[in-house]
Amino acid sequence: MIWAGLAVVSGCAGLAVAGTALLRRRLVAVTVTGHSMLPAYRPGDQVLVRRGVVPRRDQVVVVELPNTERRNWNSEPAGLGSPGEPVTERQWLLKRVSAVAGDPWSSQDKASGRVPPDHLLLLGDNASVSFDSRQMGPFPMERVLGTVWRRL
């Protein structure tokens, strides 16, 4: 009987460790560093980001910063489809989803159409200092780390 009790306690501790590891893969704390999301988010604000959640219009997301000169990425995605991948070696942007796949959109060069499948249009709240879909076009969903769940 004593050994059975110890086994249960050990099993519960294992579940707690597994639960903590799962949370670490699904929740990420991010510190805001720029001014592109003013007034909603200020430099120094910390937000909790949920990974593995498909973003909806008007939600705020964290998306990987592309190479701004070539307008592409230098590495494999570490976004929604890769919840176990390390994220600290990458640079990230905080942006608001303005349109999702299938929504109409137009760009600065007067091109128009629909947001392609598995892409999002992302805009900073402070347009005068924001690098976003106005310059980049649609962002691939695979480059989205997750959605902002709450401010810490």
Side-chain angles (χ1 to χ4, degrees), residues 12-28:
C12 289
L15 287 175
V17 171
T20 300
L22 180 63
L23 280 177
R24 284 186 188 149
R25 289 191 342 217
R26 293 291 179 194
L27 296 174
V28 178

Side-chain angles (χ1 to χ4, degrees), residues 27-66:
L27 296 174
V28 178
V30 175
T31 301
V32 177
T33 59
H35 298 276
S36 71
M37 288 300 289
L38 285 172
Y41 297 95
R42 301 182 176 287
D45 283 352
Q46 290 189 323
V47 295
L48 199 55
V49 176
R50 290 189 306 184
R51 298 183 76 180
V53 175
V54 177
R56 295 184 319 263
R57 200 174 301 104
D58 295 325
Q59 286 185 312
V60 176
V61 298
V62 175
V63 63
E64 188 174 353
L65 174 68

Side-chain angles (χ1 to χ4, degrees), residues 31-140:
T31 301
V32 177
T33 59
H35 298 276
S36 71
M37 288 300 289
L38 285 172
Y41 297 95
R42 301 182 176 287
D45 283 352
Q46 290 189 323
V47 295
L48 199 55
V49 176
R50 290 189 306 184
R51 298 183 76 180
V53 175
V54 177
R56 295 184 319 263
R57 200 174 301 104
D58 295 325
Q59 286 185 312
V60 176
V61 298
V62 175
V63 63
E64 188 174 353
L65 174 68
N67 178 317
T68 54
E69 291 174 11
R70 294 195 321 246
R71 296 190 176 171
N72 65 9
W73 289 264
N74 298 325
S75 59
E76 292 297 315
L80 288 176
S82 309
E85 291 294 317
V87 297
T88 55
E89 300 85 28
R90 299 170 188 251
Q91 294 183 327
W92 301 95
L93 301 169
L94 191 73
K95 302 295 173 196
R96 190 171 307 279
V97 177
S98 67
V100 298
D103 286 350
W105 72 286
S106 61
S107 65
Q108 287 178 331
D109 61 5
K110 307 300 183 238
S112 62
R114 298 210 172 263
V115 178
D118 299 319
H119 284 72
L120 300 168
L121 284 186
L122 304 175
L123 300 177
D125 290 354
N126 186 0
S128 65
V129 296
S130 183
F131 176 80
D132 53 32
S133 289
R134 288 174 276 237
Q135 296 83 28
M136 178 71 184
F139 280 77

